[in-house]
Amino acid sequence: MSVVGQIPPAIAAALPAPAPDAPRAVFVRAFEYPQGYPGHTHRHRLAQVVYPVRGVVSVEASTGTSVLTRLTALAIPPWLDHRVAAHGNASLRSVFVDPDRHPTLVTDLVTLHVSELLHELIREAGRHYTDFDDDGGVGAAVVCLIVQLLPSMPTSDTSVWLPQIEHPLLRGVADALDLDPADPTAAEEWARRLAPSTRHFSRLFKQETGVTFSTWRSLHHVKHALVLLASGHSVTRVAMDLGYGSTSAFIEMFKRCTGRTPGASLAREL
């Protein structure tokens, strides 16, 4: 994402007219999703910033899955296949951007930290069921502020990004942990089953995902933990379901991966 300044009137007049799929150059939609909404894979011409104001949302793309919680959003560039799933009766706001009119506002798949101010602006814009008119009024000012603030948002260091595993030799690891997140199989055992050596397995895993096996499994645990917590499970129950010997050990792992405690990570409407 890059900074977008004020567009001079002469240039603005030459910009393409609003398209049928974009009533405004930038607009916000509110979505209310029930517990366990699975979503479906789709893509569209518009860029999108997915932001939960309540609950937990996971966005799956070809490169991995991002789990969004309180004050985290995912910028999705145009035409990228993605699937949005909701957990815990999620309330979602999506900022849609017409790339013909703001070509540099959203260009990469990246997780953002949302400031309290931007949170309030997006929430306010999402309250309106009809689009703000470009009349220079309060509505237009809200959208203008969103456009100005989005490029200044830093990447999030508390979001959960789980890299996708596609390598045929390693796919069985992901499948096994999806079926049983508490599977305690160590890297050495996986290597014995799948690779010539532990060193080969570890090197291949790092090349495929960008992280070590132990880090990937911790992120996998956090992903499942957030879904379970959003469904109303207690921290102690989640720790047991994921195979941790104590609640404190689970909380320590969770904080190491996200910088937050499990309770503080859940998104809630402010």
Side-chain angles (χ1 to χ4, degrees), residues 99-119:
D100 291 339
R101 306 185 74 188
H102 284 297
T104 61
L105 189 58
V106 177
T107 58
D108 300 306
L109 183 70
V110 61
T111 308
L112 304 173
H113 171 73
V114 176
S115 67
E116 297 284 357
L117 174 58
L118 184 57
H119 166 89

Side-chain angles (χ1 to χ4, degrees), residues 80-112:
L80 181 72
D81 287 336
H82 60 282
R83 180 174 68 89
V84 180
H87 318 284
N89 297 317
S91 183
L92 178 69
R93 303 293 180 269
S94 278
V95 181
F96 290 100
V97 179
D98 187 337
D100 291 339
R101 306 185 74 188
H102 284 297
T104 61
L105 189 58
V106 177
T107 58
D108 300 306
L109 183 70
V110 61
T111 308
L112 304 173

Side-chain angles (χ1 to χ4, degrees), residues 150-163:
L150 269 176
S152 69
M153 293 299 105
T155 56
S156 174
D157 58 1
T158 60
S159 62
V160 179
W161 173 254
L162 186 68

Side-chain angles (χ1 to χ4, degrees), residues 5-15:
Q6 295 294 327
I7 301 176
I11 297 178
L15 289 174

Side-chain angles (χ1 to χ4, degrees), residues 21-253:
D21 61 348
R24 298 289 180 266
V26 178
F27 60 99
V28 180
R29 287 284 184 266
F31 301 95
E32 302 295 328
Y33 290 137
Q35 168 68 36
Y37 173 76
H40 64 280
T41 301
H42 65 287
R43 63 176 182 165
H44 37 69
R45 184 185 70 86
L46 302 180
Q48 182 180 5
V49 178
V50 176
Y51 177 55
V53 295
R54 184 188 67 240
V56 173
V57 169
S58 58
V59 183
E60 181 180 314
S62 59
T63 54
T65 300
S66 181
V67 183
L68 308 176
T69 60
R70 184 177 184 271
L71 298 181
T72 59
L74 183 69
I76 305 172
W79 298 119
L80 181 72
D81 287 336
H82 60 282
R83 180 174 68 89
V84 180
H87 318 284
N89 297 317
S91 183
L92 178 69
R93 303 293 180 269
S94 278
V95 181
F96 290 100
V97 179
D98 187 337
D100 291 339
R101 306 185 74 188
H102 284 297
T104 61
L105 189 58
V106 177
T107 58
D108 300 306
L109 183 70
V110 61
T111 308
L112 304 173
H113 171 73
V114 176
S115 67
E116 297 284 357
L117 174 58
L118 184 57
H119 166 89
E120 292 296 340
L121 292 169
I122 293 175
R123 191 177 69 153
E124 175 64 21
R127 285 195 179 119
H128 294 259
Y129 295 100
T130 58
D131 294 300
F132 285 128
D133 291 327
D134 294 328
D135 59 0
V138 174
V142 169
V143 173
C144 182
L145 284 171
I146 291 173
V147 171
Q148 291 177 333
L149 286 174
L150 269 176
S152 69
M153 293 299 105
T155 56
S156 174
D157 58 1
T158 60
S159 62
V160 179
W161 173 254
L162 186 68
Q164 187 76 8
I165 295 179
E166 296 294 348
H167 195 287
L169 188 66
L170 302 177
R171 187 61 232 174
V173 178
D175 291 342
L177 286 170
D178 282 340
L179 287 173
D180 179 16
D183 187 329
T185 305
E188 292 77 13
E189 176 60 21
W190 281 118
R192 188 186 67 79
R193 298 178 191 177
L194 303 173
S197 67
T198 300
R199 183 177 180 182
H200 177 80
F201 173 83
S202 300
R203 182 171 62 249
L204 185 61
F205 203 96
K206 183 70 176 290
Q207 290 174 348
E208 176 73 3
T209 66
V211 296
T212 64
F213 170 73
S214 61
T215 297
W216 190 91
R217 182 160 61 182
S218 293
L219 292 171
H220 191 274
H221 282 172
V222 172
K223 171 192 169 184
H224 281 271
L226 287 169
V227 172
L228 293 171
L229 290 166
S231 302
H233 293 204
S234 69
V235 174
T236 299
R237 169 69 184 278
V238 172
M240 293 176 58
D241 288 348
L242 293 178
Y244 285 84
S246 67
T247 302
S248 60
F250 165 69
I251 293 175
E252 181 181 351
M253 179 280 300

